[in-house]
Amino acid sequence: MTKAQQNYFEIFGLEPNFSIDVPKLSSKLRALLNSVHPDRFASSGSQQQMLSMQKTTQLNDAFAVLKNPVKRAQYLLHLKTGIDTSKEHTVNDPEFLMQQLELREELEDISASSDISQLNQFADKISELEEVQEQQMAELFLQKPLDTDELQKAIYKLQFLHKTLSDIEQAEDKLLS
Amino acid sequence: MALLQISEPGKSTDPHQHRLAAGIDLGTTNSLIATVRSGKAETLADLEGDHILPSIVHYAKDGTVSVGKSAKLFVCSDAKNTISSVKRLMGRGLKDVQKIKEFSANQLTASGTGMPAVETDCGMKNPVEVSSEILKSLVKRAEESLGDELGGVIITVPAYFDEAQRQATKDAAQIAGVKVLRLISEPTAAAVAYGLDTGSEGIHAIYDLGGGTFDISILRLEKGVFEVMATGGDSALGGDDFDRAIAGYLVEQANIDKGDRSAYQMAMIKAREVKEALTNKERVEINFMHWKGSMDRALMESLIASIVDKTLAACRRTLKDAGLKASEVQDIVMVGGSTRVPLVRQKVEEYFGKKPLTDIDPDKVVAIGAAIQADVLIGNKSDEDMLLLDVIPLSLGVETMGGLAEKIIPRNTPIPIARAQEFTTYKDGQTAMAIHVVQGERELVEDCRSLARFELRGIPPMVAGAARIKVTYQVDADGLLKVTAEETITGVKSDITVKPSYGLNDEQITSMLQSSVSHAEEDMKARMLREQQVEAKRVIEAVEAALAENGDELLSKDERHAIEEALKQLAYIAENGDIEAIEEAIKVVDKSTEEFASRRMDASIAKALVGHEIDEI
């Protein structure tokens, strides 16, 4: 009971790193759930049921954070430095601000033109940018000491790309319906 | 809940013996109960050999309640006192359901609890009471045919059921005196039935068109684990709509006044006959009241095509949620009697590009899957069986400034899950905060479903924005939500737990439970004592089994001794004490095993991690 709370990486027996093999993590989650899920304790005492529910909730929470690159980066930065990037924040990077504006404009133009194939191409482009950003993030997290300014910027960029992708999906929904 | 484990005196609860469990498909139009006997899951028939129980309840003037076929006889002759499709009302407010066509405006009234009620000659009946009659009838059938009482049941609900609807279903079971092992979604149950039979791994779509609900679920089956990837559908769309479309045509042809309720009921029955006949035939002759005519399949299909198309639109949305294309779906499982309609099979096949599965009777498949899972949960099978992982079907959120809904748990998040969000005060010295819990995908609160409202009081006065109110949403394995709120910064802990309210509170449930059991006060007490004794026995057996399994490796001698003493004490009090004393002794055992239970859980996690590493090599 006095044992310190495990962090999300420890729960899965992992070192705290940005690079994660998500499919592997997903099958590890299943193996763990197989032994702690409430269905395994449906005819046990209420105490066991409560514990099983807590553990399962914890595993699901941890997985939800680790599988998502933005949330994983935010969590890892907080774990290592105590810096909280989950709240609104601005980053002073004129070059990226310009790029952001351009990408937003491009999305608006494509949405207005209702061209699905163009929208898909744009989604591919953002996904590529996201991949590059994730690689950069992994490298930044390996640096010693950590460059917290650069990391915060990188998180901000990744977050923007992530958001843009979900906006593209919404635009696609609208076009299809 | 202990109240629900009804046991007759003298019956053994030995955990090593086979315990009876059942799966219940509580449908809008029809309900079924199934169980696993000699390793085979099968639905149970009534004395006349019918497996399907029409979900219809009739309340007679003298207080007699009939369910199923006998109630169906009154649909036309005593429409006012006959309630069908009650599932449509479950967990709904009066306003939500007034547009539902089965219930004429004057049949539904406010029950004073915000819940709709049906005015009958036996008084007002709310949907939860009516559903509990259907459940009671099914359980009675099972216990009579199996010759023993049920240890627990799984009840299936549409995947799309929101919190309030799930809660109402569980409350109905409580009033019926049935112990619920778990609520699972209908498509998941269907997948269990098929998954075990075919053992095929991959992605499956479950297309479930029942009488009153349509569900589409995308499931992944891998290494014996079912995972719901996405669910969608419409809780107010089903085969009844086919009947209604056909009935509308009949009423029009026969020139009958639309307000004539009993004529409309007759048209619905005729419509169903026509629909069923056109499943195998190309044309049928129709005699409806004074009108004589005929209908061919093409005409029927033109009447119902738009309804079938609506289901396909939902399939498209749900596949998109799962990030899949229709061609990636390996199997399509057809569930629900309405999937017998040829046009449905044809359109589904066209959309997915492959023939849907129809091997298991689409009326029975859900109950059969639920029975298989109930057998696992009650402990008749070893731990290596499959595991069902479920997701929340609709996003859960909270109202923020300006009437906007902020999502706290997005839809399709695996459960159980807990999420917390911080809020703050917006006025200086503010000491209370109203929290409005909503469910749905829309941005505006008014477009979402309101689940609960409560106030957090006793916040210490601070400047605006200084207080930190942490609102935590916790969803359990049944998909039921609890919300707690607390002020964290000052250490002043005022927290409150709410469950989605749709009208019934715990007291009302208890009183309905009491009135539903025609026992005197004394009987009630005797029963509660008996239940508490059974509970004590269950606790003792569970702890003894745990001690035998890994007591030696996880406990010191002293720790083990302390637990054993507490068990002895409980065993003695269970024989000689009253309800309160037994309850107290169970708490003592719980306390003494707290650390042990936690170590056991950690040990099994460690084992699973190690096992997994080995698997990978």
Side-chain angles (χ1 to χ4, degrees):
Chain A
M1 287 285 129
T2 50
K3 194 172 57 180
Q5 179 92 8
Q6 284 180 307
N7 72 44
Y8 288 167
F9 293 95
E10 286 165 350
I11 287 173
F12 288 102
L14 295 172
E15 290 296 317
N17 276 326
F18 181 75
S19 302
I20 275 187
D21 181 345
V22 175
K24 203 164 143 190
L25 186 72
S26 158
S27 71
K28 201 178 255 183
L29 172 74
R30 286 209 199 93
L32 289 169
L33 288 179
N34 218 5
S35 65
V36 303
H37 194 273
D39 281 2
R40 295 278 173 262
F41 300 92
S43 45
S44 308
S46 58
Q47 197 176 47
Q48 287 277 328
Q49 285 181 354
M50 177 77 84
L51 261 176
S52 131
M53 156 106 157
Q54 281 169 359
K55 286 286 176 195
T56 307
T57 301
Q58 201 182 37
L59 283 168
N60 281 333
D61 280 346
F63 182 71
V65 168
L66 295 188
K67 76 166 181 191
N68 177 315
V70 176
K71 287 186 188 156
R72 188 198 316 146
Q74 288 176 330
Y75 181 78
L76 189 57
L77 185 66
H78 186 255
L79 190 70
K80 294 202 165 190
T81 67
I83 295 171
D84 183 1
T85 49
S86 63
K87 303 266 152 50
E88 301 251 326
H89 61 286
T90 46
V91 169
N92 189 12
D93 184 342
E95 199 186 323
F96 185 63
L97 274 173
M98 253 341 266
Q99 197 194 355
Q100 260 186 63
L101 282 174
E102 282 165 16
L103 289 172
R104 302 302 305 185
E105 263 172 35
E106 200 176 339
L107 176 58
E108 271 166 38
D109 289 349
I110 296 171
S111 302
S113 76
S114 311
D115 186 336
I116 278 277
S117 71
Q118 233 185 324
L119 194 64
N120 285 337
Q121 273 173 22
F122 185 61
D124 289 346
K125 178 171 148 187
I126 301 291
S127 297
E128 265 168 46
L129 286 173
E130 202 182 37
E131 229 166 88
V132 172
Q133 195 60 44
E134 279 183 36
Q135 245 159 28
Q136 202 189 333
M137 185 83 76
E139 281 158 25
L140 281 170
F141 268 115
L142 289 175
Q143 280 180 10
K144 274 176 195 165
L146 288 177
D147 185 340
T148 54
D149 281 350
E150 276 305 313
L151 273 167
Q152 286 183 68
K153 267 189 210 170
I155 288 174
Y156 178 56
K157 288 180 186 173
L158 193 59
Q159 207 169 11
F160 170 78
L161 294 171
H162 217 69
K163 172 87 172 52
T164 307
L165 268 181
S166 76
D167 289 346
I168 293 174
E169 261 173 45
Q170 275 183 9
E172 199 185 343
D173 266 348
K174 264 191 199 150
L175 285 184
L176 289 176
S177 63
Chain B
M1 286 306 274
L3 205 59
L4 302 169
Q5 288 150 12
I6 300 166
S7 238
E8 294 305 320
K11 285 219 171 112
S12 157
T13 55
D14 183 353
H16 305 300
Q17 87 184 29
H18 186 87
R19 296 170 72 193
L20 289 177
I24 292 178
D25 175 2
L26 187 61
T28 306
T29 318
N30 294 312
S31 297
L32 291 104
I33 188 163
T35 193
V36 174
R37 271 197 285 202
S38 329
K40 195 175 178 303
E42 55 193 9
T43 52
L44 300 171
D46 64 9
L47 294 174
E48 283 113 73
D50 287 328
H51 292 249
I52 286 173
L53 179 78
S55 304
I56 302 174
V57 180
H58 175 253
Y59 292 92
K61 276 199 184 72
D62 65 358
T64 314
V65 181
S66 49
V67 182
K69 276 179 296 183
S70 47
K72 201 173 182 176
L73 299 175
F74 296 101
V75 166
C76 294
S77 63
D78 191 16
K80 180 171 172 280
N81 293 311
T82 312
I83 305 170
S84 21
S85 297
V86 71
K87 191 172 176 178
R88 285 199 190 274
L89 305 181
M90 291 293 274
R92 292 304 177 101
L94 185 58
K95 274 191 199 145
D96 304 326
V97 296
Q98 264 163 346
K99 50 184 181 286
I100 295 180
K101 290 181 183 119
E102 287 101 320
F103 302 93
S104 58
N106 52 7
Q107 204 186 5
L108 290 176
T109 51
S111 63
T113 55
M115 203 177 14
V118 182
E119 191 93 59
T120 72
D121 288 341
C122 285
M124 298 225 280
K125 297 293 168 192
N126 67 51
V128 175
E129 282 174 286
V130 178
S131 290
S132 81
E133 294 297 343
I134 299 169
L135 287 171
K136 269 191 240 172
S137 170
L138 289 169
V139 167
K140 185 163 168 270
R141 175 194 292 186
E143 293 185 343
E144 279 170 5
S145 97
L146 299 172
D148 201 351
E149 70 190 48
L150 290 174
V153 302
I154 282 183
I155 301 176
T156 59
V157 292
Y160 227 59
F161 253 25
D162 66 25
E163 293 300 314
Q165 292 168 305
R166 281 167 202 251
Q167 187 65 53
T169 306
K170 227 177 167 183
D171 289 345
Q174 189 172 352
I175 291 162
V178 191
K179 181 178 161 62
V180 177
L181 295 166
R182 182 80 75 234
L183 300 178
I184 67 175
S185 77
E186 289 156 9
T188 306
V192 171
Y194 269 101
L196 281 191
D197 286 355
T198 63
S200 60
E201 305 219 324
I203 288 158
H204 306 275
I206 318 296
Y207 180 101
D208 179 352
L209 189 59
T213 51
F214 172 65
D215 286 319
I216 175 74
S217 296
I218 311 298
L219 307 184
R220 182 169 61 190
L221 173 60
E222 197 182 279
K223 291 183 187 162
V225 180
F226 281 107
E227 194 174 354
V228 182
M229 296 174 77
T231 70
D234 189 333
S235 60
L237 181 70
D240 293 354
D241 295 304
F242 293 165
D243 299 348
R244 210 165 294 119
I246 300 166
Y249 176 84
L250 296 179
V251 166
E252 206 180 282
Q253 294 297 313
N255 243 326
I256 289 160
D257 176 29
K258 286 206 169 82
D260 186 342
R261 190 168 160 74
S262 93
Y264 189 76
Q265 290 270 21
M266 277 161 73
M268 285 291 285
I269 290 169
K270 183 57 85 180
R272 187 162 305 174
E273 283 171 23
V274 168
K275 175 184 75 178
E276 282 165 12
L278 287 175
T279 299
N280 302 315
K281 283 196 252 175
E282 285 300 324
R283 173 182 290 275
V284 285
E285 301 301 317
I286 303 168
N287 279 312
F288 171 59
M289 303 183 78
H290 53 266
W291 182 74
K292 277 189 171 48
S294 74
M295 186 180 284
D296 62 7
R297 197 185 274 173
L299 173 57
M300 179 183 81
E301 291 183 345
S302 72
L303 292 171
I304 65 171
S306 68
I307 303 166
V308 182
D309 286 340
K310 265 192 194 170
T311 69
L312 294 180
C315 291
R316 204 167 295 130
R317 278 197 300 276
T318 308
L319 276 173
K320 209 171 167 316
D321 272 352
L324 293 167
K325 295 190 198 81
S327 59
E328 288 174 85
V329 174
Q330 196 173 312
D331 294 303
I332 307 100
V333 175
M334 297 298 255
V335 182
S338 306
T339 61
R340 290 198 179 91
V341 173
L343 184 70
V344 173
R345 292 190 177 184
Q346 181 198 322
K347 287 209 169 205
V348 167
E349 184 174 344
E350 274 166 23
Y351 176 69
F352 285 98
K354 46 182 80 82
K355 248 192 171 20
L357 293 177
T358 48
D359 307 353
I360 304 179
D361 183 337
D363 282 320
K364 295 178 178 171
V365 60
V366 167
I368 285 174
I372 293 169
Q373 181 66 3
D375 198 48
V376 172
L377 290 198
I378 205 147
N380 288 337
K381 283 194 175 169
S382 75
D383 267 2
E384 294 311 311
D385 292 301
M386 85 253 165
L387 182 64
L388 288 184
L389 300 180
D390 215 341
V391 296
I392 95 169
L394 297 164
S395 301
L396 290 164
V398 69
E399 176 171 353
T400 59
M401 296 289 278
L404 294 178
E406 181 169 334
K407 285 174 188 159
I408 293 194
I409 306 182
R411 70 178 154 159
N412 289 329
T413 301
I415 52 174
I417 191 82
R419 285 282 159 82
Q421 192 102 318
E422 270 194 359
F423 295 92
T424 190
T425 47
Y426 64 97
K427 267 195 215 148
D428 287 343
Q430 187 180 343
T431 60
M433 186 178 236
I435 290 154
H436 183 201
V437 182
V438 297
Q439 184 162 35
E441 308 312 315
R442 307 282 292 276
E443 265 172 43
L444 294 177
V445 162
E446 58 179 32
D447 297 328
C448 291
R449 177 140 174 73
S450 169
L451 291 177
R453 286 174 192 273
F454 65 99
E455 254 185 27
L456 178 68
R457 293 173 181 281
I459 301 169
M462 284 180 259
V463 292
R468 290 276 171 272
I469 318 292
K470 191 172 157 196
V471 178
T472 307
Y473 280 39
Q474 171 133 39
V475 181
D476 70 13
D478 289 322
L480 295 176
L481 168 74
K482 267 189 179 174
V483 181
T484 55
E486 63 177 290
E487 206 293 310
T488 54
I489 221 163
T490 54
V492 175
K493 229 187 176 180
S494 33
D495 67 52
I496 183 167
T497 302
V498 289
K499 69 173 196 185
S501 57
Y502 58 90
L504 282 187
N505 61 35
D506 285 345
E507 271 164 38
Q508 287 165 321
I509 290 170
T510 309
S511 92
M512 283 161 71
L513 175 58
Q514 274 161 349
S515 68
S516 84
V517 185
S518 51
H519 285 299
E521 176 82 356
E522 280 309 300
D523 279 356
M524 208 55 197
K525 277 222 171 105
R527 206 178 83 178
M528 280 164 73
L529 174 63
R530 177 68 203 146
E531 279 155 16
Q532 207 52 254
Q533 288 170 334
V534 171
E535 177 66 16
K537 228 173 161 178
R538 209 170 61 93
V539 168
I540 292 170
E541 279 157 0
V543 176
E544 277 174 347
L547 282 173
E549 194 188 329
N550 44 18
D552 287 339
E553 67 185 279
L554 296 177
L555 292 172
S556 71
K557 263 200 179 127
D558 286 352
E559 286 168 334
R560 184 174 183 139
H561 184 70
I563 293 174
E564 282 166 348
E565 279 306 305
L567 283 183
K568 263 188 215 157
Q569 190 69 11
L570 174 58
Y572 176 79
I573 291 171
E575 292 294 320
N576 306 295
D578 58 15
I579 301 170
E580 286 77 23
I582 300 173
E583 226 170 321
E584 204 45 51
I586 289 175
K587 277 192 194 140
V588 172
V589 170
D590 273 352
K591 189 101 192 87
S592 77
T593 55
E594 211 175 336
E595 177 65 26
F596 179 43
S598 160
R599 281 184 210 165
R600 269 169 57 81
M601 194 66 74
D602 288 342
S604 82
I605 290 175
K607 207 173 129 197
L609 268 181
V610 169
H612 189 75
E613 304 299 340
I614 291 170
D615 271 358
E616 274 169 12
I617 302 164

